[in-house]
Amino acid sequence: MQTRTFFRLSALALVASTLAACQPGQPVNPNMRNAAVGAAAGAVAAKAFDGSATKGALAGAALGALCNDAGVCSGY
């Protein structure tokens, strides 16, 4: 029960901080966008394979934020 609550609050904090970083008229930073998508994908993948959603989200966010630097998702 506590893990679910923690995960939901973490997701809410991630969404809130992402929206707070957006300013009207300015595009979202690609690294931030990729980190958010990576965190969501990592959490879903970890839960699908009975892993820790929090660890999956952290790994996905890190990989998402660095994918432009590695040249993996430079076209997006």
Side-chain angles (χ1 to χ4, degrees):
M1 182 77 168
Q2 289 178 337
T3 303
R4 262 184 144 168
T5 304
F6 176 74
F7 180 67
R8 288 180 181 167
L9 289 176
S10 297
L12 180 63
L14 176 68
V15 170
S17 64
T18 302
L19 291 176
C22 297
Q23 295 178 5
Q26 292 191 1
V28 177
N29 181 350
N31 286 337
M32 182 182 295
R33 181 194 64 219
N34 293 341
V37 171
V44 169
K47 280 310 247 186
F49 292 105
D50 294 328
S52 169
T54 305
K55 290 178 184 175
L58 288 173
L63 291 172
L66 296 174
C67 75
N68 278 346
D69 298 333
V72 176
C73 57
S74 59
Y76 299 104

